[in-house]
Amino acid sequence: MQVGWYDRKICRVRDLSSGDTRIFLELEVRRLDCRNCGKVKRERLDFLADNPHYTKRFAYYVGRRCRSATIKDVAADLRLDWHTVKTLDQQYMQAQLARAGRPGPQVIGIDEIAIRKGHTYRIVVSDLLRGRPIWFGGKDRSEASMSELYVWLGAKKSGRIRLAVMDMWRPFRLATAAHAPNAAILFDKFHVMRHLGEALDAVRKSEYGRLAGRDRRYIKGQKYTLLSRKENLTLDGRKALKTLLSANKRLNTAYVLKESFGQLWSYEREGWARRFFENWRASLKWQRLKPYEKFAEMIDRHWDGIAAYCRLENKVSLGFVEGLNNKIRVIQRRAYGLRNEDYLRLKILTCMLPEL
């Protein structure tokens, strides 16, 4: 660049110093006249943020505040414009992603989240070994949307995936089998147990509809008492559960079967797990528990994806995906919903990354 002349300009830059967020620094910034393009250029200073009125240190301070507070609250506290805080927060999250680097996962967890009402879904993929979300995208829960992940990773990194944890949604399985042929498919036990909980609730509803009068009082309002694990109940909840199971034989049988099914995930050999499941399925005979019979048929159809957990190399933490979903819901509720999908994407991808 040829320089015709240069001068100095005094700029006031917002900085974070001595704990006072309202301090300004006065900088002399050189301006250069380019003869090639005819424009005036200003020298680039590495310690300034993308918005030249703020330093990177101040931008990162704003980003750290936005991890646990809303943009509105941070803007009011720091006396900044709402849009300025959002821009600085985006710069902070982009710097976090740049430091984390491009992922090359070996074990992934796949799930979907609703970003707004009307069954509008996006897919979230996590690296279960490193404990961080790595991809947010797609237009729905279709196979084409799921395939976008593997296109983004590339054929080489997709081939290195050895395990994919997901629910029993067919498009996820088909896309994974097509693009990650070396990956074993494992169905998340939390989704499996949710189906069993729905079967138990169907039995509760049928019993409530079958009974009349005073006999209903033991069942009414006890949905979550039945669905909760016994060790998670309060003292009053355990008393209500004991009374309910003593008063209704079918619900007692259904509850015992639901509690015992969790033993399936403790086996280390597929043969032992299969024997347990066949015995559990045989115990349904003559019990007149149609929802449970349908659940057993579903497990039988998807057995390969459940038995994969018996292998020692597949003993990974399956609670991360559900924990991430809860964290995403907190992010959405804190902001009363996020309309900007790119901003939501940055929030999700950086929520497990360390602070800068």
Side-chain angles (χ1 to χ4, degrees):
M1 181 177 71
Q2 297 180 356
V3 178
W5 55 267
Y6 74 90
D7 66 354
R8 296 179 181 273
K9 180 181 179 182
I10 302 297
C11 297
R12 301 184 73 200
V13 179
R14 192 75 168 271
D15 187 30
L16 175 64
S17 303
S18 304
D20 190 346
T21 60
R22 294 182 294 279
I23 288 182
F24 290 87
L25 300 178
E26 290 191 353
L27 304 175
E28 290 188 356
V29 182
R30 289 180 297 179
R31 297 188 303 171
L32 309 176
D33 183 18
C34 179
R35 292 176 177 176
N36 292 335
C37 64
K39 295 182 180 179
V40 176
K41 304 289 186 178
R42 183 170 57 183
E43 66 176 325
R44 185 184 299 275
L45 301 178
D46 292 337
F47 63 87
L48 292 183
D50 291 343
N51 185 334
H53 297 292
Y54 305 92
T55 63
K56 281 185 179 178
R57 183 170 61 169
F58 184 75
Y60 289 177
Y61 173 76
V62 172
R64 289 193 295 271
R65 291 284 303 271
C66 289
R67 286 172 69 92
S68 58
T70 63
I71 295 177
K72 182 179 179 180
D73 291 339
V74 175
D77 189 30
L78 301 182
R79 302 181 185 180
L80 295 173
D81 181 70
W82 186 93
H83 297 283
T84 300
V85 173
K86 183 177 180 180
T87 301
L88 296 178
D89 187 26
Q90 286 177 312
Q91 180 184 353
Y92 173 79
M93 291 186 289
Q94 289 166 354
Q96 281 184 295
L97 291 176
R99 177 175 292 186
R102 193 172 179 87
Q106 297 182 15
V107 180
I108 61 174
I110 305 170
D111 205 357
E112 73 277 352
I113 63 166
I115 61 172
R116 63 178 67 91
K117 293 182 179 179
H119 299 285
T120 304
Y121 295 100
R122 295 295 182 268
I123 302 172
V124 179
V125 180
S126 306
D127 185 337
L128 296 186
L129 295 183
R130 296 192 175 184
R132 52 164 288 204
I134 60 173
W135 190 77
F136 170 87
K139 299 179 179 61
D140 46 29
R141 299 188 297 166
S142 66
E143 182 180 350
S145 292
M146 186 68 242
S147 298
E148 292 179 15
L149 163 71
Y150 301 108
V151 173
W152 176 73
L153 283 176
K156 186 175 182 180
K157 289 186 177 181
S158 297
R160 292 176 182 172
I161 300 174
R162 63 174 179 83
L163 182 65
V165 181
M166 63 186 74
D167 59 17
M168 289 178 278
W169 184 242
R170 181 179 173 83
F172 290 173
R173 301 202 314 269
L174 294 178
T176 301
H179 297 278
N182 298 324
I185 293 177
L186 173 62
F187 295 133
D188 190 350
K189 70 176 180 180
F190 293 97
H191 288 89
V192 175
M193 296 304 292
R194 186 179 66 186
H195 285 289
L196 182 55
E198 292 172 354
L200 175 59
D201 191 48
V203 175
R204 181 191 65 85
K205 291 178 180 179
S206 66
E207 284 299 286
Y208 186 81
R210 184 177 65 85
L211 300 175
R214 292 173 58 85
D215 294 335
R216 284 184 167 185
R217 70 183 186 275
Y218 299 109
I219 301 177
K220 187 175 182 179
Q222 299 301 326
K223 173 181 178 180
Y224 295 104
T225 301
L226 279 171
L227 295 181
S228 300
R229 295 183 63 86
K230 191 173 182 178
E231 57 266 25
N232 295 334
L233 292 174
T234 62
L235 182 60
D236 292 338
R238 293 186 181 186
K239 289 180 179 179
L241 178 64
K242 184 178 180 180
T243 303
L244 171 61
L245 299 183
S246 300
N248 192 291
K249 182 179 178 181
R250 289 188 70 204
L251 280 178
N252 180 67
T253 302
Y255 183 81
V256 170
L257 287 169
K258 189 265 291 187
E259 289 290 289
S260 65
F261 188 82
Q263 184 180 340
L264 176 66
W265 309 101
S266 63
Y267 291 102
E268 297 181 355
R269 297 193 177 214
E270 182 178 346
W272 296 346
R274 185 68 192 190
R275 180 178 299 178
F276 167 81
F277 172 68
E278 292 297 343
N279 291 335
W280 186 89
R281 190 178 188 179
S283 64
L284 299 178
K285 193 174 182 180
W286 312 116
Q287 299 298 339
R288 296 177 296 133
L289 298 173
K290 289 291 184 183
Y292 274 53
E293 294 173 5
K294 292 181 179 179
F295 171 78
E297 292 173 358
M298 180 189 69
I299 295 298
D300 192 35
R301 291 195 306 270
H302 300 87
W303 177 254
D304 290 341
I306 295 173
Y309 193 65
C310 296
R311 304 186 189 99
L312 185 61
E313 64 272 17
N314 295 342
K315 296 288 186 180
V316 296
S317 176
L318 300 180
F320 179 82
V321 175
E322 290 301 310
L324 176 63
N325 282 348
N326 291 334
K327 196 171 188 67
I328 293 173
R329 294 188 194 103
V330 170
I331 292 172
Q332 291 175 309
R333 284 198 301 267
R334 188 171 64 210
Y336 295 94
L338 292 172
R339 298 181 182 179
N340 188 331
E341 194 168 319
D342 291 333
Y343 187 67
L344 175 61
R345 171 183 169 275
L346 288 174
K347 280 291 185 185
I348 292 174
L349 296 183
T350 58
C351 66
M352 298 292 187
L353 293 179
E355 293 183 352
L356 295 180

